[in-house]
Amino acid sequence: MPPRGPPGQTREAGGGGGGGGRGGRGGGRGGPRGGPPPRGGPARGGAVHTPTGPAALPGSHVQAVGVKRPGYGTAGRAVTVYSNFFKISLPESVIHHYDVISPDEKALPARLNMDLIHHLQTIDAVDVFTPRAVYDGRKNLFAPRELPFGPQNSQEFDVCLSDDPNRGSPGENTGGRGPKVYKIRLTKVAQINPEVLQRFIHGQQSHDNSVLTALTALNVVVRMEPTMKYPFNVRSFFTDRETKDIGSGLVLWRGYFQSVRPAIGQLLVNVDISTGTMYKSGALMDICLEFLGRPGQPTLLSPRNGLPDRERIRLQRFISGIRVKTTYAGENKTPRVVKKLSSAGAADLSFTLRDGTSRTVAQYFQATLNRPLRFPNNLCIEVGSGALIPLELCTVPPGQIMRKQVPPEKTKDVLEFATKRPEHRLASITNGLSVLQYGQSEYVRQFGMHVEDTTGPLTVTARVLQPPKLKYGQGSAQPTITPSNGAWNMIDKRFFRPASIDRWIVVVYERQQRFNPQAAQDMIDGMLRSFRDVGIRITDDKPMVTWQNGQGRIADQLRAAGTECFQRTKQRPQLIVVVLPENGNDIYTAVKHFGDITVGVATQCLKSQKCFRAKPQYYANVCLKVNVKLGGINTIPDPQSVSVLTDPRNPTIVMGADVIHPAPGSDGRPSFTALVGNVDSDTAKYIATSRVQASRVEIIEDLQDMTKHVLSMYMKYRQFAEKKTGNLAPARLIFYRDGVSEGQFKQVLDSELKSIKDACAELKINPKITIIVVAKRHHVRFFPSGSGPNEQDRSGNCLAGTVVDQVVAHPTEFDWYLQSHGGLLGTSRPAHYNVLYDENEFSADGLQSLSFALCHVYARSTRSVSIPAPVYYADIVCSRAKNHYDPQGNVDFSDSATQLDSAQAEGALEAYKRGFKPLHANMASLMYFS
């Protein structure tokens, strides 16, 4: 899961958004969008009567965060699709908003807050809270009637949850403290009139804080019932109706996501299925053993019996934060949170009692339990209070979400559980309504809302766009082709501009017994055949082959192989083909560092298992990558079919930008940024630049410098490679930005647009700029309504090119959903496009077809991809940022990097910036990242 900001830490930034991370999963339209103070007051003349459907465009007085919708698209063939939205009515009366403060408390966990408010409403002050209010677990409480707090509109309550005053274990104060009392103050802050939402969905009201708070309130209302019953994270909750044990102490639960979103002329609730990774319930010791891959061997959890410290730290990272119950002092004890693992076993840890005597943890528990511990040498957990408790006395209660990164070897299991064919997913969502039980929720009813869940999912009119024609090179059997449902093939086609190879070498890191000289020769023959098929000119059909040991220094081995090639042939290799063993990730990183950063030579890694008796299709796919790494161009969109992009009077540069953040729990690691842009007139050849910046900062800090670099390269290429005369500068700059949640649109506009304009000013050029945010992390899905080939593809998904900009789109902003790729597995996810800025004044059809065309120039496949190629490339460049660090250096990218405080983190950032080596000059103009 991506990192997330906690919901609604300030009142304005209420629950719908989920900032942070890569746009916080599916940051609902109700996201904290900051935004200026209220603009565009109420519509004149009382009630609002506005057309809905295609005719409904926002009022002229309404201001949007991005660009206001200029119109709707009309291109393409109309089809009807189902969506995972259900209609929801607006509340009937005013909602009262209260601020929740626990004065003497630091921030408590959301679950504890929920329990406190529940206790307050159902036990301590039932008469005050009739009918009951809803609460978001943080700062916001919304009530369907005004609470009787008198003229001050504020009241303080004392709430106590504990029923068990008997507590005690070593290291804790056992002085007979009574149960903890929490003070909670509720203060009225506002009244929310649902009328603002009514005006907003009809395009008669600007997006401001009143709209935001109203949406937050409705989201809290629909989530309240399931949140009280089930484990939850920000917008999903999970039930054990459908589970899968994936080993390593983890179990997957099926979950349901829900979010109330404003749409054109109506309010909708978006419902989807999601997956929760849970800690397995049961004895903590069993879970630890399972995580270490040693089930049923309890004595191994002891340093005395040879548990390596490295494994102990790995286990500590896994179980820190988990709530455990202890089995020795009555059953109904409050669960304790594991802080860390002891470094020694219970028999080797001693502490001092009040009377000054000292005893070991094992002795203390022998006295408490009236029996010795079964495994006195095993580790103990340390809980928040500092108390030490032996592992064997702890159990893990069910339903605890693991909020860390899933171990990489488990990703496949998670995907298998999460992947569902479209018809099964839609059925699962519809069945999920019985878990959501909107009709039965007393909260939904008390607020006078109603979800139309019996009428089934909402149907939407979509359009299937024509794909662009693609041009291949001379000597192809058919020089232009039209993709069919997002796919085409390379049979009898030559690359648009094939590269040529004079010298290449092969380095094998698999053992010679497993990948013998015959296997190497078969691979070379396969590659040569494919090179010739696609038109790559190759003069060296007997490349030098060496076998190397992956434990050695990779850079030295590759350099030696290159030198030997030079001594034999008086030429340095232009391409190094590297054959990797299974789990050769470290070798891969070292190879890429050597090729892309150190010496500037193209490298192509292959897995030995894949090369062994590989089919021609495999080598054809390898050629797609090799050709562009050597400066070739695979295919271009046919200029006639995408005139918007290739109009010679308006030369266009298309950029893609992305930021990638460290996984949850790895503090001190930086974020990486990337900017990619085309240099050619056909928007098919791209270059990239990347940087390091402060951890989890979403706005790209060095964008001005990066944009300047890409623009200069574009102008150089036009001048020297395309021999253009006259104006070399682009007339249009289209900037696609990935991974920004809706709460950060304003920041992107304020900061990144300025950086782009400043870069243009530095170069004394003045292109017209368009900024489009592309989001993949959302929960909107479309499902075909018919089963014929004109309705769905072989995977059961909507056809490639399906675009939706009506019904479920935003009431005022210029946005649309485009499913640009053919389905393979599971349910395809459309990309969500939001236009934030547009000096080019594109029409809806213009931008939709341009975005769709750009999904076809991704060099690594003969399929259209799910987001425009430049954004996809930016994504790849970000994820390859670690290749810029010397693998022999001291920058740590392993999973065991520890937590840092802010001063250390700042020092670490400097170290990461220093260690980040720039791309080799040879690579700056090539698609090294393909």
Side-chain angles (χ1 to χ4, degrees):
M1 290 293 283
R4 274 211 195 78
Q9 291 216 314
T10 61
R11 199 158 320 103
E12 289 76 45
R22 300 275 324 258
R25 208 93 178 190
R29 267 290 185 182
R33 284 179 100 175
R39 300 178 284 197
R44 309 231 175 346
V48 183
H49 300 289
T50 337
T52 60
L57 286 173
S60 55
H61 63 286
V62 172
Q63 289 181 296
V65 175
V67 175
K68 269 200 301 195
R69 189 183 300 286
Y72 293 89
T74 54
R77 173 174 63 84
V79 291
T80 301
V81 297
Y82 292 120
S83 65
N84 56 342
F85 283 96
F86 299 86
K87 287 186 184 179
I88 182 168
S89 63
L90 284 156
E92 290 157 1
S93 50
V94 170
I95 297 172
H96 302 268
H97 180 189
Y98 291 83
D99 197 11
V100 180
I101 304 170
S102 21
D104 51 345
E105 289 303 327
K106 50 186 185 302
L108 298 172
R111 172 56 80 198
L112 175 56
N113 285 337
M114 295 300 294
D115 290 345
L116 289 168
I117 294 288
H118 182 67
H119 202 280
L120 175 64
Q121 295 205 80
T122 53
I123 297 169
D124 295 346
V126 183
D127 49 336
V128 176
F129 297 98
T130 307
R132 282 187 217 161
V134 296
Y135 175 50
D136 70 352
R138 301 271 175 227
K139 300 275 289 173
N140 301 301
L141 183 126
F142 299 101
R145 63 158 193 148
E146 186 155 9
L147 302 178
F149 288 171
Q152 297 294 301
N153 271 335
S154 181
Q155 191 166 335
E156 195 166 280
F157 300 90
D158 289 348
V159 184
C160 161
L161 288 178
S162 174
D163 312 312
D164 176 25
N166 312 311
R167 304 180 83 170
S169 48
E172 271 194 322
N173 166 14
T174 50
R177 282 180 306 190
K180 183 161 176 66
V181 174
Y182 295 91
K183 284 197 179 313
I184 294 173
R185 174 169 286 284
L186 299 183
T187 307
K188 182 161 181 179
V189 284
Q191 289 194 169
I192 301 164
N193 188 342
E195 178 65 20
V196 295
L197 277 183
Q198 184 71 26
R199 286 203 304 269
F200 180 64
I201 59 182
H202 286 297
Q204 298 298 315
Q205 157 91 30
S206 302
H207 191 294
D208 59 27
N209 283 336
S210 64
V211 172
L212 199 60
T213 314
L215 284 169
T216 302
L218 302 198
N219 270 306
V220 177
V221 172
V222 298
R223 290 177 191 150
M224 185 69 182
E225 186 91 4
T227 301
M228 296 311 304
K229 292 187 194 163
Y230 305 107
F232 62 93
N233 63 16
V234 185
R235 284 186 210 72
S236 291
F237 59 89
F238 306 95
T239 79
D240 55 5
R241 279 186 171 195
E242 199 183 334
T243 63
K244 175 183 178 179
D245 186 338
I246 57 168
S248 291
L250 298 172
V251 57
L252 302 176
W253 284 24
R254 175 75 65 226
Y256 297 92
F257 164 95
Q258 48 178 357
S259 173
V260 176
R261 295 173 65 98
I264 298 167
Q266 57 189 345
L267 205 58
L268 302 174
V269 58
N270 178 207
V271 180
D272 194 17
I273 53 173
S274 57
T275 301
T277 310
M278 304 291 194
Y279 289 106
K280 193 179 283 189
S281 58
L284 179 59
M285 198 154 74
D286 295 348
I287 293 166
C288 293
L289 289 166
E290 202 179 294
F291 175 76
L292 295 172
R294 300 291 186 78
Q297 305 174 45
T299 53
L300 292 174
L301 290 170
S302 151
R304 271 198 200 179
N305 295 342
L307 175 73
D309 206 47
R310 188 183 69 250
E311 287 291 89
R312 182 186 70 84
I313 288 173
R314 200 167 73 86
L315 178 61
Q316 175 173 289
R317 280 175 66 85
F318 175 66
I319 65 165
S320 62
I322 190 170
R323 292 197 309 279
V324 295
K325 288 197 159 184
T326 45
T327 52
Y328 58 88
E331 260 313 300
N332 59 352
K333 294 199 54 167
T334 318
R336 331 284 280 278
V337 177
V338 176
K339 203 160 76 179
K340 54 184 186 184
L341 277 174
S342 61
S343 48
D348 299 320
L349 288 165
S350 45
F351 62 99
T352 309
L353 290 161
R354 290 226 179 95
D355 58 8
T357 57
S358 163
R359 56 164 81 172
T360 67
V361 173
Q363 288 165 344
Y364 171 88
F365 278 99
Q366 179 165 356
T368 308
L369 302 168
N370 289 328
R371 64 170 175 81
L373 292 173
R374 289 171 59 209
F375 304 104
N377 293 328
N378 279 8
L379 298 170
C380 297
I381 58 162
E382 186 179 314
V383 295
S385 59
L388 293 161
I389 306 167
L391 281 178
E392 66 183 78
L393 300 179
C394 300
T395 61
V396 177
Q400 292 194 57
I401 303 175
M402 186 193 68
R403 298 176 195 273
K404 303 184 176 83
Q405 202 171 20
V406 176
E409 67 278 7
K410 295 292 173 202
T411 313
K412 188 164 160 285
D413 295 304
V414 178
L415 286 176
E416 274 172 15
F417 181 72
T419 302
K420 272 186 183 303
R421 275 184 66 91
E423 64 273 26
H424 298 148
R425 191 182 192 101
L426 189 56
S428 202
I429 289 167
T430 314
N431 296 341
L433 294 172
S434 65
V435 182
L436 292 158
Q437 293 186 317
Y438 291 124
Q440 275 80 57
S441 163
E442 62 163 313
Y443 303 103
V444 174
R445 284 205 311 273
Q446 297 288 7
F447 279 84
M449 290 156 66
H450 171 66
V451 178
E452 291 182 25
D453 50 7
T454 49
T455 52
L458 202 63
T459 54
V460 180
T461 303
R463 293 168 289 115
V464 180
L465 302 180
Q466 269 297 104
K469 289 189 168 65
L470 301 174
K471 248 177 120 160
Y472 276 91
Q474 291 166 336
S476 302
Q478 44 175 153
T480 63
I481 55 151
T482 304
S484 156
N485 194 29
W488 61 98
N489 64 47
M490 280 287 302
I491 297 168
D492 293 337
K493 295 188 188 64
R494 307 279 177 277
F495 285 146
F496 180 73
R497 189 185 308 149
S500 53
I501 303 173
D502 297 327
R503 275 285 162 258
W504 61 305
I505 58 173
V506 177
V507 180
V508 184
Y509 281 101
E510 186 63 274
R511 292 202 314 278
Q512 198 153 349
Q513 304 91 296
R514 293 190 62 168
F515 198 82
N516 59 25
Q518 185 54 51
Q521 193 52 51
D522 290 349
M523 180 201 80
I524 290 166
D525 293 343
M527 288 192 77
L528 289 169
R529 213 170 302 123
S530 277
F531 284 157
R532 293 193 179 107
D533 285 347
V534 297
I536 292 177
R537 291 178 291 285
I538 185 146
T539 49
D540 175 9
D541 56 5
K542 290 196 172 51
M544 189 183 95
V545 184
T546 62
W547 274 261
Q548 296 289 352
N549 175 2
Q551 303 301 312
R553 289 186 68 122
I554 309 293
D556 296 350
Q557 297 163 343
L558 295 176
R559 187 173 269 115
T563 307
E564 190 182 334
C565 170
F566 181 71
Q567 284 161 353
R568 285 196 200 173
T569 64
K570 295 291 164 277
Q571 281 179 306
R572 296 209 178 277
Q574 290 160 280
L575 172 69
I576 305 177
V577 173
V578 178
V579 178
L580 296 176
E582 265 312 283
N583 303 322
N585 291 353
D586 292 349
I587 305 175
Y588 173 86
T589 303
V591 168
K592 290 298 166 191
H593 184 79
F594 176 79
D596 296 345
I597 313 298
T598 313
V599 297
V601 62
T603 50
Q604 180 59 57
C605 295
L606 307 176
K607 283 189 170 171
S608 65
Q609 277 182 324
K610 290 273 173 71
C611 302
F612 201 61
R613 305 211 177 94
K615 294 189 171 69
Q617 177 66 50
Y618 175 70
Y619 293 116
N621 286 341
V622 172
C623 288
L624 293 172
K625 293 159 70 76
V626 169
N627 188 50
V628 293
K629 284 178 184 175
L630 295 170
I633 295 174
N634 295 353
T635 176
I636 64 164
D638 182 40
Q640 270 92 48
S641 68
V642 283
S643 50
V644 176
L645 280 174
T646 51
D647 172 3
R649 293 185 309 279
N650 284 308
T652 301
I653 184 167
V654 182
M655 295 185 182
D658 194 11
V659 180
I660 189 171
H661 301 298
S666 31
D667 295 1
R669 300 258 184 97
S671 292
F672 295 105
T673 61
L675 181 69
V676 173
N678 63 303
V679 288
D680 63 331
S681 299
D682 297 306
T683 60
K685 184 179 167 72
Y686 290 84
I687 59 146
T689 176
S690 67
R691 301 278 195 282
V692 196
Q693 68 180 30
S695 187
R696 304 195 206 290
V697 172
E698 184 52 65
I699 299 302
I700 302 173
E701 289 171 1
D702 297 331
L703 187 61
Q704 183 177 341
D705 194 35
M706 294 161 84
T707 307
K708 188 177 159 191
H709 168 76
V710 172
L711 283 167
S712 324
M713 295 291 279
Y714 172 88
M715 294 183 333
K716 268 187 210 148
Y717 189 88
R718 280 174 69 78
Q719 184 178 3
F720 298 113
E722 297 185 338
K723 305 284 188 277
K724 294 272 197 290
T725 51
N727 189 7
L728 302 171
R732 296 193 285 223
L733 188 162
I734 301 172
F735 181 82
Y736 284 95
R737 177 70 157 87
D738 187 11
V740 183
S741 72
E742 290 164 333
Q744 293 163 317
F745 286 177
K746 188 88 178 61
Q747 280 171 281
V748 168
L749 268 179
D750 293 346
S751 164
E752 297 188 358
L753 174 60
K754 181 179 184 301
S755 300
I756 296 169
K757 287 189 160 174
D758 290 350
C760 293
E762 263 191 82
L763 293 167
K764 301 190 170 47
I765 61 174
N766 190 20
K768 289 187 171 171
I769 298 169
T770 296
I771 296 182
I772 304 167
V773 171
V774 188
K776 284 278 294 196
R777 306 228 165 178
H778 58 75
H779 281 274
V780 177
R781 299 289 183 278
F782 299 114
F783 306 88
S785 60
S787 54
N790 275 344
E791 302 268 349
Q792 59 169 258
D793 63 14
R794 281 187 307 201
S795 68
N797 278 291
C798 294
L799 300 169
T802 301
V803 67
V804 172
D805 62 0
Q806 300 189 15
V807 185
V808 298
H810 194 270
T812 57
E813 314 262 334
F814 186 7
D815 75 333
W816 68 89
Y817 294 92
L818 169 63
Q819 200 157 304
S820 49
H821 56 304
L824 289 171
L825 283 173
T827 307
S828 299
R829 178 189 309 218
H832 186 200
Y833 296 79
N834 277 280
V835 184
L836 294 196
Y837 189 78
D838 183 21
E839 292 178 336
N840 291 294
E841 297 186 350
F842 284 116
S843 67
D845 279 332
L847 273 183
Q848 289 166 9
S849 70
L850 174 136
S851 301
F852 187 39
L854 286 169
C855 296
H856 291 78
V857 295
Y858 180 65
R860 289 160 58 153
S861 67
T862 56
R863 302 179 66 87
S864 59
V865 287
S866 58
I867 51 178
V871 194
Y872 209 130
Y873 290 140
D875 209 291
I876 295 168
V877 172
C878 274
S879 59
R880 291 175 60 136
K882 63 176 184 295
N883 301 347
H884 286 257
Y885 293 93
D886 184 349
Q888 307 299 144
N890 53 5
V891 171
D892 181 17
F893 275 99
S894 72
D895 273 349
S896 54
T898 45
Q899 310 271 324
L900 305 175
D901 63 32
S902 57
Q904 285 172 307
E906 225 158 89
L909 175 64
E910 279 315 306
Y912 278 111
K913 283 191 170 174
R914 277 198 306 278
F916 189 84
K917 305 272 186 294
L919 198 61
H920 192 279
N922 294 0
M923 291 291 160
S925 59
L926 297 173
M927 290 171 66
Y928 68 93
F929 44 81
S930 87

